[in-house]
Amino acid sequence: MADTKFTPRVFSGIQPSGGLTLGNYLGAMKRFVDMQNAGGFETIYCMVDLHAITVWQNPNDLKKNTRELCAGFIAAGIDPEKSILFNQSQVPEHAQLGWLFNCVARMGWMGRMTQWKDKAGKNAENASLGLFAYPALMAADILVYHATHVPVGEDQKQHLELTRDIAAKFNHDFGVEFFPIAEPVIEGAATRVMSLKDGTKKMSKSDPAEASRINMTDDADAISKKIRKAKTDPDPLPDSLTELDTRPEARNLVNIYAALAEITPQAVLDQHQGALFGHFKMALSDLAVAKLAPISTEMARLMQDQAEIDRILGRGAERARALATPILAQAYDIVGMVRS
Ligand code: AQP
């Protein structure tokens, strides 16, 4: 249950660490749009550029990717008047609260994060300190707005549990009920979109294999080709989901279809049971092109007016700071910082 003492407020972010994928769109962005349009929440969405630099980013690419991500948010349906839309580094309160949380979170907690283990791998000695501390900054992103709900994909569940632990420890250590215990919102058929080449691996922007993902900037030809070449198996689609438990690639395509069509995975099987993958992939490709091509066309149009994108990000940052500044000031007071 969400903390009812706090105004219902949604926060979520996406890293501008490369082109936006279908995984980011279905697992996160499409659901950001739904929450914006559902009403009942203030919605705050962020391009988390400070997170992106926890691994090396070429500075020019980072700028381009941040603007492209902003265009992606708007093309997907985020209205910068209804939602607050900005890039993280323009709101320094995130990093400031992040430092307080670096002093609340324990080394042991961070060391147990799966994403840290996956991304640092065997080369942890050489990974940046920022990559290790990333979840404390993510907690600050959320809590600097007293956000109560955080829509994310399945892979972020552990980081959200850590956010809750940080809020609870801060509240306990200082004897306050200052930070909400934010609720993860992990819903729908596509909470974990898998690689098109390996149904056991998450679809990811940074996967070196281009054919493993659909990018939101892909044109109709590229989308169809990638779906046609996606790994599958020779069996037809069954009539029940349990029969897909041992067929991860097939299950992934069914989930993608369901999320794009806004129906359940079982309804996809009801419509397509008995179909061979050659046939099902054609239907999926038509659906994906119909849903994604208008977004990529709109992104390309928005990218032609960089000044307008920068204006939207600047205005979003002003609105975000108006919420974050008093919350950070109160957190500093609680911790015992003298402010003259
Ligand atoms: N494959 C996915 N399926 C469902 N949701 C996904 N998300 C990411 N990949 C999938 C969700 O998208 C949001 C933003 O993710 P992020 O940019 O912060 O970083 P990430 O989770 O690490 O995504 P990537 O694409 O894998 O980026 P890189 O390759 O840079 O690490 C989150 O809500 C995430 O759950």
Side-chain angles (χ1 to χ4, degrees):
M1 278 295 292
D3 233 321
T4 48
K5 283 191 309 298
F6 296 89
T7 310
R9 196 172 272 165
V10 169
F11 175 91
S12 200
I14 298 187
Q15 296 185 61
S17 48
L20 202 56
T21 70
L22 181 67
N24 299 134
Y25 174 66
L26 293 177
M29 197 174 267
K30 185 168 184 301
R31 296 175 42 252
F32 300 171
V33 176
D34 294 342
M35 291 190 91
Q36 166 194 269
N37 295 342
F41 292 106
E42 270 180 280
T43 44
I44 306 170
Y45 298 124
C46 186
M47 280 120 266
V48 284
D49 46 10
L50 297 175
H51 286 284
I53 61 163
T54 55
V55 297
W56 169 253
Q57 302 293 329
N58 172 293
N60 289 329
D61 290 348
L62 181 60
K63 285 186 180 156
K64 177 180 160 284
N65 289 336
T66 303
R67 292 180 175 123
E68 196 171 88
L69 184 52
C70 180
F73 270 104
I74 298 169
I78 296 298
D79 174 346
E81 292 304 316
K82 279 195 200 159
S83 294
I84 299 180
L85 187 63
F86 66 103
N87 59 314
Q88 186 187 25
S89 59
Q90 294 210 71
V91 180
E93 286 77 6
H94 288 236
Q96 291 174 284
L97 185 61
W99 181 258
L100 296 193
F101 287 168
N102 282 345
C103 303
V104 173
R106 307 288 92 183
M107 296 283 284
W109 299 0
M110 304 311 227
R112 283 192 284 277
M113 293 297 109
T114 317
Q115 196 177 78
W116 157 253
K117 290 187 211 160
D118 288 350
K119 287 199 172 175
K122 292 196 176 67
N123 204 14
E125 286 287 311
N126 230 358
S128 75
L129 183 56
L131 187 65
F132 188 68
Y134 167 123
L137 179 59
M138 177 167 160
D141 299 335
I142 295 163
L143 295 173
V144 81
Y145 301 103
H146 277 181
T148 54
H149 294 78
V150 188
V152 281
E154 177 71 37
D155 60 316
Q156 290 295 334
K157 192 169 177 217
Q158 196 188 27
H159 287 165
L160 275 175
E161 278 158 11
L162 191 113
T163 297
R164 292 161 67 93
D165 289 344
I166 289 176
K169 181 163 164 56
F170 182 99
N171 289 347
H172 175 266
D173 289 353
F174 295 101
V176 292
E177 287 190 43
F178 184 63
F179 286 117
I181 308 299
E183 204 55 36
V185 186
I186 303 173
E187 285 169 354
T191 55
R192 192 170 178 84
V193 177
M194 308 310 274
S195 156
L196 297 180
K197 290 288 164 199
D198 177 352
T200 62
K201 217 170 115 189
K202 191 185 81 156
M203 184 182 286
S204 181
K205 308 181 199 90
S206 55
D207 190 322
E210 176 62 27
S212 69
R213 64 176 162 268
I214 293 176
N215 302 306
M216 294 306 288
T217 46
D218 284 345
D219 60 17
D221 272 359
I223 295 173
S224 306
K225 200 162 156 200
K226 286 179 180 174
I227 292 177
R228 245 191 353 261
K229 295 200 161 171
K231 185 175 170 200
T232 38
D233 56 50
D235 296 335
L237 277 172
D239 58 4
S240 94
L241 287 173
T242 45
E243 289 176 59
L244 289 181
D245 285 352
T246 51
R247 298 169 63 189
E249 284 84 13
R251 176 71 208 230
N252 188 38
L253 295 188
V254 168
N255 284 353
I256 293 174
Y257 192 107
L260 286 169
E262 304 188 43
I263 58 176
T264 62
Q266 183 56 52
V268 177
L269 293 187
D270 295 345
Q271 288 171 14
H272 294 275
Q273 59 175 287
L276 290 172
F277 271 96
H279 189 79
F280 181 66
K281 281 175 170 179
M282 266 188 331
L284 177 58
S285 159
D286 288 349
L287 176 65
V289 168
K291 296 278 180 178
L292 304 181
I295 300 177
S296 72
T297 307
E298 180 60 3
M299 271 173 85
R301 191 189 69 76
L302 291 165
M303 279 299 280
Q304 283 169 3
D305 192 350
Q306 189 179 301
E308 176 60 7
I309 289 185
D310 290 3
R311 190 198 64 76
I312 289 169
L313 290 175
R315 171 78 189 117
E318 267 175 39
R319 291 170 66 200
R321 289 197 80 180
L323 295 176
T325 307
I327 293 176
L328 179 72
Q330 287 173 69
Y332 273 9
D333 282 341
I334 290 168
V335 170
M337 304 287 169
V338 173
R339 294 182 301 115
S340 308

